[in-house]
Amino acid sequence: LMDVARASTKGSFFLFIGNASSTIILALGSILIARLLGPENYGLYTVALIIPSFLTAITDLGISPALTRFSASLKIQGRPEKANRLIKTGITFKLVSSLLLAMILVVSSDVIAANMLKRPEMSILIKLGALYLIGQSIYVAINSALIGLDKVGIAGLIMNIQAAAKFASSVLLIILGFAVSGAILGIGLGFAIAALTGLALAALHMNSKTVDDPSERMGFLDDLKTMVNYGIPLYVSSMVLGILTQYRSVILALFASSAEIGNYHTAINFSVLITFCLLYTSPSPRDRQKS
């Protein structure tokens, strides 16, 4: 019991550090990007990511929480072969589904820009969001699998790689003169770099000290069905929240100017830092009782 508690505490600490540092990097990076782009261009940047963000949620189907759950439970049961196979199935499904939706996004970008967002000139920006869609889908799946495998140190590492790569590539491309296109490409590159790094690190742990067990073999669709059946209730609840968030964003795009949207999201970026400071610097209930 003490070993379990010690491992859990250590894992939680690494996960906390990864979340905290990546949140700070992302918040500061977003503020700097908003500063470099200006209110109107930053508004275009946020509007261009509305549909790719929504499509990213569609690709999940509850796979991400299922990867965390099954990789953890199967590892404890001493069945690493089945855990590895489920992880491969989940990541393959996310890759294929995100590629299909990315192609649909590219083909329908003109219609989306003109009819849904009322900004026909944004078609090329929406096309560039396809890289963001694919990168984030794979990144989320890999991160979920690493947490389930108790590789929280690696999960925290790729969180920070993702945040730093998004920040650095977006700022560099903006400075080079690509403006909004550079910012969107930068965020997509950040997710892609983190996903590829996480995939390489996960492959090392998945393939080490495991042998193929014929008794654990199942079909791709059977594995996928197992994960979807587990994750679909969580997926439905998160999709409802995601739809409400994107509905608000679409309403803003229809009735507010790009500059107003840019100022609004800049204020949200500052609120993230304020919330973070309040959350991690306020005294605990026990400390308040002592005082």
Side-chain angles (χ1 to χ4, degrees), residues 84 87-88 91 138-139 141-143 145-146 149 151 154-155 157-158 161 191-208:
N84 291 350
I87 291 171
K88 292 174 184 176
I91 292 175
I138 305 303
Y139 164 79
I142 293 170
N143 198 53
L146 288 170
L149 291 172
K151 305 299 179 183
I154 299 175
L157 174 63
I158 67 168
I161 290 174
F191 277 120
I193 291 170
L196 289 173
T197 304
L199 192 59
L201 294 173
L204 291 175
H205 291 282
M206 287 167 57
N207 294 329
S208 60

Side-chain angles (χ1 to χ4, degrees), residues 91-282:
I91 292 175
T92 301
F93 172 79
K94 294 270 284 189
L95 176 61
V96 172
S97 61
S98 62
L99 284 172
L100 289 174
L101 286 176
M103 288 189 288
I104 293 172
L105 179 68
V106 170
V107 171
S108 60
S109 59
D110 292 337
V111 176
I112 293 171
N115 298 327
M116 184 176 293
L117 303 177
K118 304 300 181 183
R119 291 169 173 82
E121 71 281 3
M122 288 186 57
S123 176
I124 184 61
L125 300 179
I126 295 173
K127 288 183 173 70
L128 294 175
L131 178 61
Y132 164 84
L133 193 165
I134 298 168
Q136 188 180 16
S137 296
I138 305 303
Y139 164 79
V140 171
I142 293 170
N143 198 53
S144 300
L146 288 170
I147 292 173
L149 291 172
D150 200 24
K151 305 299 179 183
V152 289
I154 299 175
L157 174 63
I158 67 168
M159 285 181 194
N160 284 277
I161 290 174
Q162 172 258 146
K166 282 164 60 176
F167 170 66
S169 55
S170 294
V171 169
L172 178 61
L173 289 171
I174 292 171
I175 292 173
L176 290 175
F178 291 96
V180 183
S181 298
I184 295 173
L185 276 175
I187 192 173
L189 284 172
F191 277 120
I193 291 170
L196 289 173
T197 304
L199 192 59
L201 294 173
L204 291 175
H205 291 282
M206 287 167 57
N207 294 329
S208 60
K209 299 181 181 179
T210 60
V211 248
D212 187 38
D213 184 356
S215 65
E216 296 287 4
R217 292 176 184 171
M218 291 175 64
F220 178 89
L221 292 179
D222 291 331
D223 290 338
L224 188 61
K225 182 180 178 181
T226 298
M227 289 188 286
V228 170
N229 286 341
Y230 171 81
I232 202 69
L234 295 171
Y235 170 74
V236 171
S237 60
S238 64
M239 273 300 295
V240 171
L241 181 60
I243 290 172
L244 291 175
T245 301
Q246 299 309 323
Y247 173 75
R248 181 193 64 189
S249 299
V250 171
I251 293 299
L252 278 173
L254 291 175
F255 296 103
S257 67
S258 297
E260 290 171 330
I261 295 172
N263 286 326
Y264 170 72
H265 281 277
T266 301
I268 289 179
N269 293 334
F270 276 103
S271 71
V272 170
L273 284 176
I274 293 170
T275 303
F276 177 83
C277 292
L278 291 175
L279 182 62
Y280 294 111
T281 60
S282 59

